[in-house]
Every structure is written in C-alpha cells, then in structure tokens.
Amino acid sequence: TPVVVAPSSGNVTVTKLTVDSDGDGLIQGGLGNARLAIEGTGVTLNGLITTGPLTPVGSAPTITPYIGATTGGITAGAGQNFTNFSGVLLQSTTGNIGTSSAPINLGVAKVSATTTNGDIYIRENGSPTGGLEIASQSTRDVLGLIKTINGATITSNVGGPKTISIRAASPLLVSAPVVNNSGGDIILAAEGNTAADDLTINAAVTATGGAGN
C-alpha cells in the first residue's frame, strides 16, 4: 500500500522512517499505486531509509519518494536524510531546500529539486550507485497525482538572489537542466578523491536574472 504522510495543516517532522523493515525489498501495491510521499507546510527530515531497493510487486516502477513543502521549506535534520532510494524529488513552493550550513544529505542515485524563490543546497555522501545524477524524474504525490521535476530549478527572482549548490562526494552527472532565475549563483561540484570522481555536464546550466555565476 502507499506510504503517505500529509497532515491537513502544519509542518511535518520525519524523525526516522524505515521503509520495508522486513527486508524483502517489496512494497505491496497495484500498478502505479505504490509510492512514498510526504507533504506539509514545511518538512524537516531527520532520516528516511530503506533496507534494500524498493520494487513494487508486479510491473510498477521502482519507488522514488516525493517530498513537498507547500509554504515553508524542506529542512535537513541530523545525519543522512535519504538512504538507499534510487532517487528523490524535492519541491518547495516558496521556501528553501536545505541551507548552506545544513544541506539536504543524500544517499541516493538521482535527485530532482525545484523551488519558486528559495535556495537549493544538496550534498551527496553515500550514493548506492557511487555517484549522483541531477535528473528529470516523475513520481506520485500524496494525492496519487504524477509529479515531474526536471533537473534543479529556482523559478523566480522575487526576494533577491538565491543559490543552487549541489555537491557530490563522488561523480556528479548533470543530465537535466540546472536553472537559477533568481540572479544568484550555481555551484556544481564533484569532490571525491579518485580519478573517476568527475563532473559531467550533459544538459544546460543557466544563471539568469542578475549577476549570478
């Protein structure tokens, strides 16, 4: 069945959510119905982990969590915020997705993120595939509606310059657009210590609306 957290109002704090604690790697659900979605005014993440790859029964796709903040931001708690998921979609209507001092910590293979006029700070430090990809992904929200996020985007310049910072402790692949319309900077970094820890850009990276770099 779907795992959905969506209060009628207010913030959501995820202290620790372990999906598939019996270790069989399966979430029971019909085609397209198995999902993990969390949405609130603001969302604080202290830890979402899986005990293995999440593959729904039948021919449904591998589950990719959707995290949505309707008026606040998505805040990183202590430690790893996502572990072992194939990917994650992060959407904040008006707030930040992580901060410079507390980025969203990922242990996933793919990330897609968008906000209207907040910062995006993401750090990968333990991908199950040994690298992070900024990708276009689709999944289902708390209502079961399909959500698609294409790359990493700040859509507005209201409120002054904001920053997109995505850093990986391993290879970083940009396969979908990274767009900052706020007039702020874009920081993309592969910070590993091996020869394979490259930054590969296969999509547009665009800073507009001001003096962004």
Side-chain angles (χ1 to χ4, degrees):
T1 57
V3 179
V4 176
V5 180
S8 58
S9 63
N11 298 327
V12 174
T13 299
V14 180
T15 300
K16 183 177 181 181
L17 174 62
T18 301
V19 182
D20 183 38
S21 58
D22 63 358
D24 65 4
L26 300 175
I27 285 182
Q28 304 292 331
L31 178 62
N33 188 43
R35 68 187 187 276
L36 170 57
I38 299 171
E39 187 170 314
T41 300
V43 180
T44 299
L45 300 169
N46 289 318
L48 274 74
I49 65 174
T50 75
T51 56
L54 288 177
T55 304
V57 173
S59 57
T62 300
I63 291 172
T64 301
Y66 168 78
I67 311 298
T70 56
T71 58
I74 299 175
T75 304
Q80 193 86 303
N81 304 128
F82 294 91
T83 305
N84 291 336
F85 291 99
S86 60
V88 64
L89 284 78
L90 304 169
Q91 182 171 21
S92 176
T93 302
T94 59
N96 297 327
I97 299 175
T99 64
S100 59
S101 60
I104 303 297
N105 287 299
L106 299 181
V108 302
K110 296 181 180 182
V111 64
S112 308
T114 184
T115 179
T116 301
N117 53 6
D119 294 310
I120 297 176
Y121 282 93
I122 291 169
R123 180 175 60 199
E124 176 274 320
N125 55 7
S127 165
T129 60
L132 180 65
E133 178 182 355
I134 302 172
S136 178
Q137 299 182 91
S138 297
T139 192
R140 294 185 181 273
D141 65 9
V142 295
L143 299 177
L145 302 176
I146 294 176
K147 286 281 189 179
T148 298
I149 298 176
N150 189 25
T153 304
I154 300 173
T155 61
S156 171
N157 63 1
V158 175
K162 303 296 182 181
T163 298
I164 296 177
S165 174
I166 302 177
R167 300 175 180 269
S170 56
L172 178 60
L173 171 61
V174 181
S175 63
V178 178
V179 181
N180 188 344
N181 290 313
S182 74
D185 294 336
I186 297 174
I187 302 167
L188 304 173
E191 300 178 326
N193 297 319
T194 73
D197 292 330
D198 294 330
L199 169 61
T200 303
I201 298 177
N202 291 335
V205 177
T206 307
T208 65
N213 297 303

